[in-house]
Amino acid sequence: QVQLVESGGGSEQPGGSLKLSCAASGTILIIYTMAWYRQAPGGQRELVADISNSGNTNYADSVKGRFTISRDNAKNTMYLQMNNLKPEDTAVYYCSANVRLQIGSGAYDFWGQGTQVTVSS
């Protein structure tokens, strides 16, 4: 199986920055799309950004120009650089990955446990 571990969450003031990391480990042949989602209290889980294996990226309108998603395929790790944070960015951030485990297997989605990001003054 595959384990995704997020790190880098915490508390920050509006206008500040945080960088999240998501490290994948386990039985991995190839990781296709990786993504960051977030869920605010009382809200639904929403896509923040995703990145393909080749580096193509996609962002939610609410974070465009402020957040940058990246990945290091050699390390099976994804990052989310969050700048100019706003109180509405407060949420639990989850990473996900679409992974092919071995030759001949299908590709499956895996999720991390989530990391809290709180933005307040």
Side-chain angles (χ1 to χ4, degrees):
Q1 290 299 307
V2 175
Q3 296 79 42
L4 300 179
V5 178
E6 299 108 333
S7 60
S11 296
E12 185 57 76
Q13 293 185 341
S17 298
L18 286 172
K19 185 174 184 178
L20 306 183
S21 299
C22 171
S25 62
T27 304
I28 298 171
L29 177 64
I30 186 171
I31 302 177
Y32 296 111
T33 298
M34 301 185 79
W36 289 99
Y37 286 78
R38 67 185 181 187
Q39 187 167 16
Q44 293 185 334
R45 191 171 296 190
E46 63 175 2
L47 176 68
V48 176
D50 60 36
I51 183 167
S52 69
N53 180 266
S54 61
N56 293 320
T57 59
N58 175 55
Y59 295 91
D61 288 343
S62 59
V63 306
K64 282 181 181 177
R66 301 188 297 120
F67 291 10
T68 302
I69 190 171
S70 61
R71 64 190 284 176
D72 184 334
N73 290 335
K75 296 181 178 179
N76 289 336
T77 300
M78 172 179 64
Y79 307 95
L80 185 68
Q81 177 66 48
M82 305 186 293
N83 298 328
N84 190 20
L85 284 163
K86 302 177 179 181
E88 51 264 42
D89 295 320
T90 296
V92 178
Y93 284 70
Y94 299 90
C95 69
S96 74
N98 185 250
V99 181
R100 186 177 299 277
L101 304 180
Q102 56 191 4
I103 295 174
S105 76
Y108 304 94
D109 291 331
F110 295 89
W111 291 84
Q113 80 288 352
T115 185
Q116 177 71 46
V117 171
T118 301
V119 184
S120 71
S121 54

